[in-house]
């Protein structure tokens, strides 16, 4: 008879338990195929409520990244809007100003480079956070690239018109939606930081529509979430012990029955050892109970009442002498 590996049985039990009771992840978290959970809520800066005192670890501003040769510095947050009050964001509706998660200021104007997103993405081993829907890409470089694309497309359309014999007029082209700025944040694992996170500006695309950042934080290292921990370390140890005991018992009984042809209690694995242990425990219980019984006050069937002489402090004849004297008197009377 073939015995299953206890580790395999434990893995099957845990996987079946997780499959039977799936728990939805909270925002700004993602789970990899290997089971690691990445939670970026730890580095998301939250605004302080009115009347609430700031702790030493609370940040009073969003994360900042120096732009260096770009000419502007960047302000951003993780999975949450920036806590700074924004006004007159270029090309963004006023109702969306409160949802801006990354922006920069240039020439006295505020440009959004992405709206809030609470859905990080795993691309291979890279943890990425993407913000879209920022200010329109109205830079000169963007216009030049769009003009070049339109010119190439118009040339292709002219060639198709010359080759085609269809004289039907084409419908007018619909105006395309303006391209909007976006941000891509690559998060790297770093457990040696003394701060929750660091953010660095990597670069921007030629048309200034996409901005790339790199962030280092321990939150990007992944781990086991509280929701996934259905049982604690003691519970896991107990499950392993129960599975090992079950495998030992079932395997031992199967071996004793099929190989040694044992029956009754002797089918148990290491029966002689367990029988000796039970006998030892019984002997110890008997010894302990007898020892405790000796310490208890003993009671006799009949208690001897104290005599008058004993009550008087031992002076005068004892009760035994009185009984002997009475018996002698009776004998003399009987003889007479």
């Amino acid at each position: 008879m073939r015995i299953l590996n206890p580790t395999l049985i434990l893995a099957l039990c845990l996987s079946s338990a997780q499959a039977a009771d799936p728990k939805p992840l909270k925002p700004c978290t993602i789970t990899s195929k290997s089971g690691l959970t990445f939670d970026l809520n730890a580095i998301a800066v939250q605004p302080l409520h009115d009347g609430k005192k700031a702790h030493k670890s609370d940040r009073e501003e969003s994360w900042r990244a120096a732009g260096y040769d770009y000419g502007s510095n960047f302000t951003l947050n993780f999975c949450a809007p920036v806590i700074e009050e924004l006004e007159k964001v270029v090309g963004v509706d006023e109702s969306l100003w409160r949802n801006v998660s990354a922006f920069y200021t240039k020439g006295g104007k505020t440009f959004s480079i992405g709206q809030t997103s609470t859905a990080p993405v795993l691309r291979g081993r890279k943890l990425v956070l993407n913000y879209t829907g920022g200010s329109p890409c109205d830079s000169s470089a963007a216009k030049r690239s769009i003009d070049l694309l339109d010119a190439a497309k118009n040339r292709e359309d002219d060639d198709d018109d010359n080759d085609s014999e269809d004289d039907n007029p084409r419908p007018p082209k619909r105006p395309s939606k303006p391209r909007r700025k976006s941000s891509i944040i690559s998060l790297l694992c770093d457990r040696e930081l003394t701060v929750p996170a660091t953010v660095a500006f990597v670069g921007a695309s030629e048309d200034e529509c996409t901005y790339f950042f790199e962030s280092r934080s321990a939150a990007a290292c992944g781990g086991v979430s509280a929701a996934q921990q259905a049982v604690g370390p003691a519970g896991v140890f107990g499950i392993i012990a129960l599975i090992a005991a079950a495998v030992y018992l079932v395997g031992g009984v199967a071996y004793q029955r099929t190989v040694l042809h044992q029956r009754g209690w002797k089918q148990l694995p290491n029966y002689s050892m367990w029988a000796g242990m039970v006998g030892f425990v019984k002997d110890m219980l008997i010894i302990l109970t007898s020892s405790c019984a000796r310490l208890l006050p003993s009671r006799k069937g009949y208690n001897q009442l104290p005599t008058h002489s004993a009550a008087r402090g031992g002076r005068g004849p004892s009760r035994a002498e009185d009984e002997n004297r009475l018996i002698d008197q009776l004998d003399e009377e009987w003889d007479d």
Side-chain angles (χ1 to χ4, degrees):
M1 184 176 180
R2 191 173 181 181
I3 308 300
L4 291 176
N5 191 351
T7 306
L8 178 61
I9 297 176
L10 176 61
L12 291 174
C13 292
L14 293 178
S15 61
S16 61
Q18 292 179 358
D21 188 18
K23 295 182 179 180
L25 294 175
K26 60 182 179 179
C28 204
T29 58
I30 188 172
T31 302
S32 64
K33 294 182 179 179
S34 60
L36 292 177
T37 298
F38 300 87
D39 188 356
L40 302 182
N41 290 284
I43 55 178
V45 181
Q46 301 295 337
L48 296 176
H49 299 286
D50 296 337
K52 182 180 178 181
K53 295 182 179 180
H55 297 283
K56 185 177 181 181
S57 59
D58 293 338
R59 289 184 60 88
E60 298 181 358
E61 61 180 8
S62 302
W63 301 100
R64 301 188 183 277
Y68 299 107
D69 57 337
Y70 185 76
S72 299
N73 296 329
F74 299 89
T75 303
L76 53 89
N77 201 354
F78 296 95
C79 296
V82 293
I83 62 176
E84 288 77 8
E85 295 289 339
L86 299 182
E87 295 181 356
K88 298 181 180 180
V89 181
V90 176
V92 179
D93 294 338
E94 185 176 355
S95 61
L96 300 177
W97 292 354
R98 65 181 63 183
N99 293 330
V100 174
S101 287
F103 74 93
Y104 68 92
T105 302
K106 192 173 186 179
K109 298 180 179 180
T110 301
F111 296 90
S112 168
I113 54 177
Q115 298 287 315
T116 302
S117 173
T118 58
V121 180
L122 279 171
R123 293 190 174 94
R125 295 185 177 180
K126 294 290 185 180
L127 180 61
V128 178
L129 190 60
N130 191 11
Y131 295 148
T132 58
S135 298
C137 304
D138 56 351
S139 64
S140 58
K143 291 181 179 179
R144 286 197 302 268
S145 62
I146 293 174
D147 292 340
L148 292 175
L149 291 174
D150 292 341
K153 192 171 183 180
N154 291 331
R155 284 196 299 269
E156 293 178 358
D157 293 341
D158 293 339
D159 294 338
D160 293 340
D161 291 340
N162 295 330
D163 296 337
S164 176
E165 296 179 356
D166 189 5
D167 295 335
N168 295 328
R170 295 186 178 182
K173 297 180 180 179
R174 296 180 180 179
S176 60
K177 294 182 179 180
R179 299 176 62 197
R180 292 187 173 274
K181 297 177 182 290
S182 61
S183 302
I184 298 177
I185 307 173
S186 176
L187 294 109
L188 305 178
C189 173
D190 194 338
R191 301 182 186 275
E192 297 180 358
L193 287 176
T194 57
V195 293
T198 59
V199 183
F201 172 65
V202 177
S205 60
E206 185 179 358
D207 56 1
E208 297 184 0
C209 269
T210 306
Y211 297 81
F212 302 92
F213 299 90
E214 182 181 274
S215 175
R216 293 180 177 273
S217 174
C221 298
V224 180
S225 66
Q228 288 178 318
Q229 289 181 342
V231 292
V236 173
F237 178 77
I239 292 174
I240 294 174
L242 288 176
I243 293 175
V247 171
Y248 167 77
L249 182 62
V250 174
V253 170
Y255 177 79
Q256 294 287 340
R257 284 184 64 89
T258 57
V259 179
L260 301 180
H261 305 286
Q262 299 290 344
R263 296 293 183 269
W265 289 105
K266 292 185 179 180
Q267 295 179 100
L268 297 176
N270 300 324
Y271 170 75
S272 58
M273 180 188 70
W274 296 114
M277 290 180 63
V278 172
F280 174 76
V281 172
K282 289 172 62 177
D283 294 341
M284 291 300 297
L285 289 175
I286 292 173
I287 294 172
L288 291 175
T289 52
S290 61
S291 300
C292 293
R294 292 178 181 178
L295 298 176
L296 296 175
S298 60
R299 290 186 177 183
K300 296 182 180 180
Y302 298 96
N303 293 330
Q304 187 175 4
L305 296 175
T307 58
H308 296 286
S309 60
R312 292 192 298 267
R315 293 177 295 177
S318 64
R319 184 174 180 180
E321 295 176 355
D322 295 338
E323 291 177 352
N324 292 331
R325 188 178 300 106
L326 179 60
I327 292 171
D328 293 337
Q329 292 177 359
L330 292 174
D331 289 340
E332 292 177 355
E333 293 176 358
W334 182 260
D335 292 336
D336 296 340

